[in-house]
Amino acid sequence: QVRLEESGGGSGQAGGSLRLSCVVSGVSIGTVCMGWFRQAPGKEREGVATIVTGNYTTYGNSVKGRFTISTDNASNTLYLQMNSLKPEDTAMYLCAAGRRFYSSCTMVGPRPYVPIYWGQGTQVTVSS
């Protein structure tokens, strides 16, 4: 059974930083596509970042240059370092693992990432 548990969310100021963590069990994160998504009230879910084999990463246009996705295979943990936060980054952030066969491990292109497993999410609120 695959389980994903996010932590690290909270409140931050515009221009500040937060780091999210996602502890994964039931699958080795070094062998599968991993990603972060976010959803704000009244908006569609948005892809944030993907990572596979620990070094190939892609980002959504709204976070490129500000957020960094990474993994620690030893602890089977996925991270999202969020810098230069903006009020529009306010959302529930969800960790994701695995990849539907019809999608690719990327946030861009004709077959964007569609995960198999989801965490419950952690709330991030950024004030101006």
Side-chain angles (χ1 to χ4, degrees), residues 2-6 20-25 27-29 32-38 45-52 69-71 76-80 93-100 103 105 107 113-122:
V2 178
R3 297 188 63 181
L4 296 82
E5 185 169 355
E6 303 95 334
L20 306 183
S21 301
C22 175
V23 177
V24 181
S25 59
V27 66
S28 174
I29 66 173
V32 299
C33 181
M34 301 290 301
W36 287 98
F37 289 77
R38 67 186 183 184
R45 190 161 54 200
E46 176 187 12
V48 175
T50 61
I51 187 168
V52 64
I69 189 171
S70 62
T71 57
N76 224 38
T77 303
L78 176 72
Y79 296 102
L80 183 69
Y93 283 73
L94 301 106
C95 172
R99 177 182 62 84
R100 298 290 179 186
S103 70
C105 192
M107 287 302 177
Y113 178 45
V114 180
I116 298 174
Y117 305 104
W118 293 90
Q120 294 296 310
T122 185

